[in-house]
Amino acid sequence: MLFNLLVIFSFLVVLLLLRQLINIVPSLLACMIRWKESFNLEASVKLSRDRNYLALAMIVPFCLVAFRYRLYSPGFIGSMSENSALGLYFAIFIAYILLRVMVTMTFRPHKMPKKTFSTAVKASYSFFIICTLILLAVAGVTSVADVADDYVRNAMLWISALIYMLFLIRKMQIFSTSCSVFAAFLYLCALEMIPTGILVVSAIIF
């Protein structure tokens, strides 16, 4: 019941932001192809604001897809009720975001220009939107085609991993505009590998 209500809610929210989504998709795709586009997007007050709103709006559908296909599946979730498990997915996502914020504040390179650092950090919003849209498209197509959930889950995990890897490359390229490649790599490891590593390890251990 809760799952269905959240599906309707997320659909209405995305519908309200449909115009902004259509306008910003070309910029988001450009950010995936060229790292410089992330600076161009941040330079536009309207585009960056719409991107931030859309990233926020994508949280619910992303968590619903992750729950539906068990993209994060530690053993203890199997013993929980549907509503409890769904709530846990949202709690884990929020905890992951808070951890990213804490790590970002802790390891912020003070010698790096604020604009460069902000652009690199907020690039995750753009890739998150694209990733969620692709996962939703895959869910829709495979649902109509009646593909087994296990195959869909594996496909979604690979898609998410590839998009995340591309994001890491673009983020390092953005860092590299203000520091050496080696320093950019170290910043990337500190800011990304810590929160994402904890998330992945927690799924394996528990």
Side-chain angles (χ1 to χ4, degrees):
M1 182 64 177
L2 178 60
F3 180 86
N4 294 332
L5 289 175
L6 289 175
V7 168
I8 295 173
F9 170 77
S10 60
F11 174 77
L12 293 175
V13 171
V14 173
L15 192 62
L16 289 173
L17 297 173
L18 187 59
R19 178 179 295 179
Q20 290 91 327
L21 179 61
I22 293 173
N23 290 337
I24 202 173
V25 162
S27 296
L28 298 180
L29 293 175
C31 289
M32 298 183 71
I33 299 171
R34 296 180 299 273
W35 61 267
K36 291 182 180 180
E37 292 299 329
S38 293
F39 283 100
N40 295 335
L41 194 154
E42 291 300 325
S44 171
V45 175
K46 183 180 186 308
L47 286 178
S48 60
R49 183 182 64 243
D50 289 345
R51 189 272 316 276
N52 295 345
Y53 287 151
L54 285 166
L56 185 62
M58 289 294 127
I59 292 176
V60 174
F62 177 82
C63 289
L64 292 176
V65 170
F67 167 76
R68 170 65 179 80
Y69 294 98
R70 297 299 192 268
L71 301 186
Y72 176 83
S73 186
F76 64 85
I77 287 185
S79 61
M80 301 176 67
S81 66
E82 180 177 294
N83 288 347
S84 298
L86 180 57
L88 182 63
Y89 270 81
F90 280 94
I92 292 171
F93 184 89
I94 293 172
Y96 175 70
I97 296 301
L98 291 176
L99 180 59
R100 288 181 64 91
V101 172
M102 289 174 58
V103 170
T104 298
M105 293 174 62
T106 302
F107 293 99
R108 187 196 185 289
H110 297 288
K111 293 183 179 180
M112 182 178 292
K114 184 178 179 180
K115 180 181 178 181
T116 301
F117 185 73
S118 177
T119 299
V121 170
K122 292 181 179 179
S124 61
Y125 302 172
S126 302
F127 282 81
F128 174 65
I129 295 170
I130 291 296
C131 182
T132 303
L133 292 176
I134 292 176
L135 294 184
L136 289 172
V138 170
V141 172
T142 55
S143 177
V144 172
D146 198 25
V147 179
D149 286 355
D150 287 342
Y151 292 111
V152 179
R153 177 178 181 270
N154 289 334
M156 287 184 171
L157 288 174
W158 276 107
I159 290 170
S160 300
L162 289 173
I163 293 176
Y164 184 69
M165 289 298 296
L166 181 58
F167 159 65
L168 293 181
I169 293 172
R170 296 290 176 256
K171 187 170 185 176
M172 191 168 116
Q173 289 173 325
I174 294 171
F175 280 149
S176 298
T177 62
S178 299
C179 61
S180 67
V181 175
F182 180 69
F185 177 75
L186 292 179
Y187 289 142
L188 189 69
C189 289
L191 297 174
E192 291 296 332
M193 298 307 157
I194 292 176
T196 303
I198 291 176
L199 180 67
V200 173
V201 170
S202 67
I204 296 173
I205 293 178
F206 300 107

